[in-house]
Amino acid sequence: MNILEKIKTNYSASMNEMTVAAYLEECRKDPKMYAKPAERILDAIGEPEMLDTRQDPKLSRIFSNKKIKIYPAFRDFYGMESTIEQIVSYFRHSAQGLEEKKQILYLMGPVGGGKSSLAEKLKHLMQQFPIYVLKAGEQISPVFESPLGLFADYADELEEEYGIPTRYIPGCMSPWASKRLREFDGDINRFKVVRLFPSIQEQIAISKTEPGDENNQDISTLVGKVDIRKLADYQQSDPDAYSYTGGLCLANQGLLEFVEMFKAPIKVLNPLLTATQEKNYKGTEPIGAIPFDGIILAHSNESEWAKFLNDKKNEAFLDRIYKVQVPYVLRVSEEIKIYEKLIRESSLKDAPCAPKTIELLAEFSVMSRLKEPENSSIYSKMRVYNGETLRETDPNAKSIQEYRDDAGINEGMQGISTRFAFKILSKVFNFDSEEIAASPVHLLYVLEQEVIKMMLPPETESKYLHLIKSVLASKYAEFISDEIQKAYIESYSSYGQNIFEKYVVYADHWMQNNDYRDPDSGEIFDRSILNEELEKIEKPAGIANPKDFRSEVTNFFLRHKANHGGRSPRWDSYEKIKNVIEKKIFTNTEDLLPVVSFNVKTNEEDEKKHRDFTRRMRDRGYTDKQIRILVDWFMRVRKTMA
């Protein structure tokens, strides 16, 4: 079936029609025929996958070895496990008939934090399962009401005869249905039931409301109003003279999204009180109560919430709010996934992106959102939040729980937004007029310029510029130094393996308090000499606790050999010792400068080495132009840091 046929088939299949009696018989067999919106959205979300974080060292540190739920429907919402679980809990409790069924789901968070994306996702999930709507003649109920509303006064009898629990029976029928029932002389069989799929496009059971001008906006945006064109044919109090175009009218049996809800005047919000508590609301005309059995989803930023919260007149409203905080992502690895997703969905997906570019941007974004820790660096805190352990490299680093306790519950509610970060990334990719590509050097420059343009408070601007110039630039200088040196040293891998195996032998003898005889030279190393040799390898990497480090690396080496038929592990298979050995290899950079620079070479040998160097840099993911830019930047930075 091609796409054109598929659309036609799906469209015709969505309009199935049946009698009320046939609908009730189906209800007897299938509870999904009268399922509440919360139940339908739960079905659309699906069963979660249980993730045992004990199986992953990073996740075990982040989630304290707990089992967490991963919902496939929200797989693209990175780093939002807690927020999503709270949202799903709201629907679960509402589906169970608990207090949440009478409350507004309110997402509160900073700009660009994902509130709107979550709302869009929930609306799309609401479209997956059909609703059953009353129909009279050729007209479908303008408020998409359930056929069960016809039995509002006979709920007990309906449960007894068809097994439909009374909590599923609406408290009233709409004025439109009431008028038709009178015209039919109470003959319910003259009504029909139509099967519809909620639709964002058609505004069937899904609607969106935004605050308007405070001076002229009224409750009609939610409850509808009289249609003056029909007053020639109907009285003003006639249900058929009413225009059911308000958000509550259109979102019955579905979902109403209220954007920036607390920017609307309280008089506009009042109909939400009765809609949530009594499941009906009054129109602007005397036409009787209109039923509402849907979900109200609202969102706004923290400042609007704080303003609304501090007004004592709003207490009744606040009691009907189920608040879910939507902070910025605080894990670099998850922030990177967001950028990669945004790039994949754009024309930049095939554009070259030099290593570390996205990671540096993610690190800046996350650090801007973190509360400055006491007696610890913000860079270390960022790494701990990412699930890393810094026991060997930063003795001042705290545990993730200590950082969280110190920061409080509002951490992540301020800082650089993901939206702003992606605009930065867009400018970086288009920085060079000759090449659409991204590099960390251009990123650092663009970031600095954009922070200055933002006209932030002096304290915030100073913090951000410090993160860019001092923290990120210095960390990147270390990284690109390693990259250049790895590309320069062709025999780097075998050299690293030799250092690794020698380190393990020395460390093993040192821990056993045994002398070591070098098999090649016959020289004997006592424990103090072994310690000196080990420190030559450890000191460039700043190992803070050498005794534990030596024991850990040696145990790793011996376990690997025991489990792999006596084969030694590769030196770069264990991240901790890999970093230490790389620091040892690259302590002296003097020899490589003439080769890696783009100056005219004095001899053919250096020219050949330079060509080999650029080839290996290309293999590592850099374009020719980026190689030149990065080498020039590295040499400038090296001079300033010398």
Side-chain angles (χ1 to χ4, degrees), residues 48-96:
E49 300 168 1
M50 298 303 297
L51 177 62
D52 188 350
T53 61
R54 292 175 300 179
Q55 308 302 318
D56 185 298
K58 275 193 171 186
L59 293 178
S60 69
R61 287 187 282 269
I62 294 168
F63 295 103
S64 305
N65 289 321
K66 296 175 184 173
K67 289 184 178 179
I68 60 172
K69 296 175 181 177
I70 304 296
Y71 294 90
F74 295 98
R75 199 178 292 281
D76 288 343
F77 288 83
Y78 303 108
M80 300 179 72
E81 295 86 358
S82 174
T83 297
I84 289 165
E85 183 55 43
Q86 290 179 68
I87 291 171
V88 175
S89 294
Y90 165 84
F91 290 120
R92 186 182 300 118
H93 298 164
S94 178
Q96 292 168 347

Side-chain angles (χ1 to χ4, degrees), residues 164-187:
I164 303 171
T166 55
R167 68 186 182 91
Y168 287 95
I169 314 301
C172 65
M173 69 180 82
S174 71
W176 174 88
S178 181
K179 178 181 178 181
R180 267 73 194 162
L181 190 59
R182 286 195 303 273
E183 291 173 349
F184 296 161
D185 294 325
D187 186 1

Side-chain angles (χ1 to χ4, degrees), residues 51 56 58-59 62-63 68 70 74-82 84 327-342 344 358-359 361-363 365-366 369 382 385-388 418:
L51 177 62
D56 185 298
K58 275 193 171 186
L59 293 178
I62 294 168
F63 295 103
I68 60 172
I70 304 296
F74 295 98
R75 199 178 292 281
D76 288 343
F77 288 83
Y78 303 108
M80 300 179 72
E81 295 86 358
S82 174
I84 289 165
Y328 290 130
V329 173
L330 297 180
R331 290 172 13 225
V332 171
S333 58
E334 299 301 298
E335 186 77 4
I336 289 171
K337 291 176 184 175
I338 296 172
Y339 301 157
E340 289 175 340
K341 175 192 172 188
L342 293 171
R344 280 197 309 271
I358 294 177
E359 186 176 340
L361 179 59
E363 288 178 348
S365 297
V366 169
R369 303 163 184 170
M382 174 202 72
Y385 271 32
N386 203 40
E388 299 177 48
T418 303

Side-chain angles (χ1 to χ4, degrees), residues 17-25 134-137 147 150-151 158 161-162 177 180-193:
E17 194 175 296
M18 65 184 84
T19 64
V20 173
Y23 169 74
L24 293 176
E25 286 299 326
L134 205 57
K135 182 178 181 182
L150 296 171
F151 304 93
L158 197 66
E161 189 169 345
Y162 291 98
R180 267 73 194 162
L181 190 59
R182 286 195 303 273
E183 291 173 349
F184 296 161
D185 294 325
D187 186 1
I188 286 178
N189 289 319
R190 293 180 64 181
F191 284 100
K192 299 292 183 184
V193 177

Side-chain angles (χ1 to χ4, degrees), residues 500-603:
F500 178 42
E501 294 183 6
K502 184 183 287 188
Y503 179 87
V504 171
V505 170
Y506 287 176
D508 190 29
H509 281 76
W510 180 84
M511 287 187 298
Q512 301 299 327
N513 203 13
N514 294 331
D515 293 344
Y516 171 69
R517 180 187 293 274
D518 189 309
D520 297 325
S521 65
E523 185 180 359
I524 295 177
F525 295 174
D526 63 18
R527 198 166 191 264
S528 63
I529 296 175
L530 287 170
N531 189 61
E532 290 175 8
E533 294 297 319
L534 289 166
E535 285 182 344
K536 288 178 185 177
I537 300 172
E538 295 160 350
K539 279 189 174 178
I543 297 300
N545 193 335
K547 182 179 178 181
D548 288 350
F549 183 76
R550 292 168 189 177
S551 174
E552 190 174 342
V553 172
T554 304
N555 287 337
F556 165 76
F557 185 92
L558 296 176
R559 280 198 309 272
H560 187 281
K561 286 189 73 171
N563 296 330
H564 295 83
R567 290 198 318 276
S568 299
R570 282 178 52 85
W571 72 278
D572 56 359
S573 63
Y574 191 44
E575 191 68 25
K576 288 184 179 180
I577 191 64
K578 172 179 176 284
N579 293 336
V580 169
I581 291 172
E582 285 179 346
K583 291 287 191 298
K584 165 65 179 172
I585 293 174
F586 303 137
T587 49
N588 186 7
T589 62
E590 296 302 322
D591 295 339
L592 64 80
L593 294 178
V595 171
V596 303
S597 74
F598 282 79
N599 298 332
V600 177
K601 302 295 177 280
T602 56
N603 56 67

Side-chain angles (χ1 to χ4, degrees), residues 401-640:
Q401 195 57 52
E402 286 179 288
Y403 281 131
R404 285 173 178 165
D405 291 343
D406 177 62
I409 61 171
N410 287 325
E411 188 170 43
M413 301 297 283
Q414 295 179 331
I416 293 297
S417 73
T418 303
R419 190 179 296 133
F420 174 83
F422 194 62
K423 286 192 287 187
I424 292 289
L425 206 53
S426 303
K427 291 184 179 181
V428 172
F429 269 100
N430 292 282
F431 185 84
D432 192 323
S433 59
E434 298 176 6
E435 179 181 64
I436 296 179
S439 77
V441 171
H442 290 157
L443 171 69
L444 293 171
Y445 176 79
V446 171
L447 258 181
E448 183 179 343
Q449 297 305 308
E450 291 301 313
V451 165
I452 293 170
K453 289 179 188 175
M454 288 170 74
M455 304 287 288
L456 296 164
E459 185 179 342
T460 305
E461 181 180 296
S462 177
K463 173 188 173 181
Y464 288 178
L465 292 177
H466 170 74
L467 291 177
I468 297 165
K469 293 178 173 180
S470 300
V471 180
L472 294 181
S474 63
K475 294 296 179 184
Y476 183 65
E478 294 176 14
F479 173 82
I480 196 60
S481 175
D482 286 353
E483 288 281 275
I484 289 171
Q485 290 170 108
K486 289 172 189 175
Y488 168 73
I489 301 174
E490 193 166 13
S491 59
Y492 147 77
S493 183
S494 58
Y495 186 26
Q497 190 69 23
N498 291 336
I499 294 177
F500 178 42
E501 294 183 6
K502 184 183 287 188
Y503 179 87
V504 171
V505 170
Y506 287 176
D508 190 29
H509 281 76
W510 180 84
M511 287 187 298
Q512 301 299 327
N513 203 13
N514 294 331
D515 293 344
Y516 171 69
R517 180 187 293 274
D518 189 309
D520 297 325
S521 65
E523 185 180 359
I524 295 177
F525 295 174
D526 63 18
R527 198 166 191 264
S528 63
I529 296 175
L530 287 170
N531 189 61
E532 290 175 8
E533 294 297 319
L534 289 166
E535 285 182 344
K536 288 178 185 177
I537 300 172
E538 295 160 350
K539 279 189 174 178
I543 297 300
N545 193 335
K547 182 179 178 181
D548 288 350
F549 183 76
R550 292 168 189 177
S551 174
E552 190 174 342
V553 172
T554 304
N555 287 337
F556 165 76
F557 185 92
L558 296 176
R559 280 198 309 272
H560 187 281
K561 286 189 73 171
N563 296 330
H564 295 83
R567 290 198 318 276
S568 299
R570 282 178 52 85
W571 72 278
D572 56 359
S573 63
Y574 191 44
E575 191 68 25
K576 288 184 179 180
I577 191 64
K578 172 179 176 284
N579 293 336
V580 169
I581 291 172
E582 285 179 346
K583 291 287 191 298
K584 165 65 179 172
I585 293 174
F586 303 137
T587 49
N588 186 7
T589 62
E590 296 302 322
D591 295 339
L592 64 80
L593 294 178
V595 171
V596 303
S597 74
F598 282 79
N599 298 332
V600 177
K601 302 295 177 280
T602 56
N603 56 67
E604 180 59 33
E605 183 183 354
D606 280 355
E607 184 63 40
K608 181 180 181 305
K609 286 181 179 178
H610 180 76
R611 288 196 300 269
D612 290 342
F613 161 74
T614 55
R615 174 179 53 78
R616 287 193 286 270
M617 284 291 283
R618 284 196 296 271
D619 292 342
R620 302 183 79 82
Y622 300 91
T623 67
D624 288 335
K625 193 160 190 178
Q626 286 173 343
I627 296 168
R628 180 183 287 271
I629 291 169
L630 296 175
V631 167
D632 289 347
W633 184 86
F634 164 69
M635 296 181 79
R636 284 199 313 274
V637 170
R638 184 181 168 280
K639 286 178 183 177
T640 60

